[in-house]
Amino acid sequence: MKRRAFLALSTALAAPALAGPATAATTTTTTTTSRAGRLDVAALRRAVSGLPDDDATAALVRVGGTAGTWHGAGGVHDLASGRAADPHARFRAGSTTKVVTAATVLRLAAARRVDLDAPVQHYLPRLFRGTDFHRPVSVRQLLNHTSGIRFADGWGDAFADQYAHRFDVVAPAEAAASALAKGPEFAPGTRQEYLNINYTLLGLLIERLTGQAYADAATRLVLRPAGMRDTYFPGTDPTIHGPHNYGYQLLDGAFVDVTEWVQADRLAAGDMISTTADLERLLVALFRGRIVPARQLKEMFTVPAGIDGATMSAGLQRIELGGRTYWGKTGSRYGYSAALAATRNLSRTLVYSVNATDAKGEEMNPVAERIVMAAVGSA
């Protein structure tokens, strides 16, 4: 999902294919505490009902906070069997990975392993050697997407091009080199442009600083302290291990199975598999200061000043919804669209995973939009 997804709400191929969704929609919901009727449980149930349809085949939701909690799921595990979606399923978490990456970097900053104001060229000199990056790009500018670094090379924008290369492996360093070779798009710190490459570079920085693979460092510094037992980084493995619901892309009226895919080139920008329960644990642990010390945690709730339209902080995005300020992050890979968000005081938290049939589309998925409005409207 594009970063405009939440912001829009604030203003309001040879492939195995199936002919269409299963004829019977399946919805399973579990409700826990709802205090003083402040959670609109009926709206939340409606948000995940009627699946599968052309917009999504499944949806998993967790709403929490002081007003009460609700957990629900709708849709199917897969279109062939039509059996109910697994509410505890793992899924591709996309760019919500950036929250983990930012927290990892901030923990290293707290340990004085990295200076957020220092040029990333100082830490990764070989990558920048021979490029046109003569002005320093600070680590903080990577964190808040004000670096000016251009996007990395890819397989093209069309789904067919991406699908044809879904098992191909591109090393993160190779992706970073292709981006840096293009030179800066703008002077660092003058604009904010959300791009995966900033966090791909942060992943390489983490490896340089710790001497560990990104997955190992992020697991040690963030996943384990947050209690995220069902989250991992698949690397070059295209399979989602453990319980999961299938992902599909709707193409010319047919549903293409996109469950298996290699995302290794994105590394720290979007190569994470997780669950709604684990992403909720991450939110709570982070916002309560259990992962990142208070001084560094401020970076996650600070949008760069003096830049028109800036909404991104270190790993998060500031979102105005229903008269409240939320901090969160969306993420999408083909077949999967996820998000996590919360008020700063955790009075309301929301995590969802939608098996969107156009997860890389420009507009917010209608099922995801229903979920957000049902959760926020009752805040």
Side-chain angles (χ1 to χ4, degrees):
M1 186 188 304
K2 305 297 184 183
R3 78 171 180 128
R4 292 190 295 273
F6 272 147
L7 290 177
L9 284 176
S10 66
T11 60
L13 284 132
L18 299 173
T23 55
T26 305
T27 301
T28 59
T29 58
T30 301
T31 305
T32 56
T33 306
S34 178
R35 299 177 187 171
R38 291 178 62 193
L39 260 180
D40 191 341
V41 171
L44 288 165
R45 285 175 172 164
R46 287 194 300 271
V48 298
S49 67
L51 301 180
D53 62 16
D54 283 350
D55 297 315
T57 56
L60 316 177
V61 182
R62 296 180 74 90
V63 181
T66 56
T69 61
W70 184 85
H71 307 158
V76 296
H77 168 268
D78 64 281
L79 292 177
S81 72
R83 75 175 189 264
D86 186 337
H88 307 294
R90 294 175 176 176
F91 51 83
R92 300 196 187 279
S95 286
T96 64
T97 308
K98 293 181 176 70
V99 182
V100 171
T101 300
T104 303
V105 172
L106 293 174
R107 286 207 63 177
L108 292 171
R112 299 184 178 180
R113 301 285 298 278
V114 64
D115 181 350
L116 299 184
D117 292 315
V120 68
Q121 291 97 320
H122 170 74
Y123 298 105
L124 300 171
R126 291 185 180 179
L127 269 179
F128 283 85
R129 188 172 299 149
T131 70
D132 292 330
F133 282 85
H134 307 301
R135 296 185 181 183
V137 177
S138 73
V139 175
R140 180 179 282 106
Q141 287 165 345
L142 291 177
L143 284 166
N144 63 27
H145 299 280
T146 60
S147 68
I149 298 173
R150 298 177 187 269
F151 58 87
D153 290 341
W155 306 117
D157 294 331
F159 168 73
D161 295 330
Q162 298 281 342
Y163 186 81
H165 293 279
R166 67 193 183 280
F167 297 131
D168 291 359
V169 176
V170 177
E174 182 181 347
S178 74
L180 295 175
K182 300 172 185 177
E185 182 176 0
F186 54 85
T190 62
R191 286 168 47 187
Q192 186 174 74
E193 184 172 358
Y194 176 81
L195 289 175
N196 282 334
I197 192 60
N198 292 301
Y199 276 69
T200 299
L201 281 163
L202 287 171
L204 295 172
L205 172 66
I206 289 167
E207 293 186 337
R208 174 71 177 82
L209 295 172
T210 64
Q212 292 183 293
Y214 165 79
D216 294 335
T219 298
R220 174 174 59 87
L221 293 172
V222 178
L223 301 192
R224 285 177 184 166
M228 300 172 71
R229 297 179 294 275
D230 291 310
T231 300
Y232 72 99
F233 305 95
T236 59
D237 187 346
T239 303
I240 302 176
H241 294 280
H244 62 278
N245 301 316
Y246 282 46
Y248 299 90
Q249 173 76 12
L250 185 60
L251 182 68
D252 298 328
F255 288 79
V256 179
D257 186 342
V258 293
T259 308
E260 294 197 344
W261 206 296
V262 174
Q263 309 289 340
D265 60 315
R266 284 156 181 82
L267 187 69
D271 185 31
M272 184 169 77
I273 288 172
S274 192
T275 65
T276 55
D278 268 8
L279 292 183
E280 186 178 64
R281 291 184 184 103
L282 175 64
L283 266 178
V284 174
L286 263 180
F287 284 36
R288 288 183 176 168
R290 295 175 182 170
I291 308 297
V292 178
R295 180 180 177 184
Q296 286 73 30
L297 186 61
K298 290 180 181 178
E299 298 286 339
M300 302 193 83
F301 303 101
T302 302
V303 172
I307 298 179
D308 290 342
T311 62
M312 308 300 296
S313 63
L316 296 174
Q317 179 181 8
R318 185 179 63 202
I319 310 151
E320 304 296 335
L321 288 172
R324 292 188 177 192
T325 299
Y326 289 80
W327 294 89
K329 188 73 190 73
T330 58
S332 64
R333 303 309 314 147
Y334 285 114
Y336 301 90
S337 182
L340 53 81
T343 54
R344 180 65 184 88
N345 64 359
L346 295 172
S347 61
R348 175 55 47 89
T349 64
L350 168 65
V351 176
Y352 69 73
S353 169
V354 173
N355 290 63
T357 59
D358 188 19
K360 300 303 289 182
E362 291 291 330
E363 302 299 324
M364 188 172 192
N365 179 272
V367 177
E369 184 172 352
R370 292 201 304 266
I371 291 167
V372 172
M373 295 312 298
V376 170
S378 59

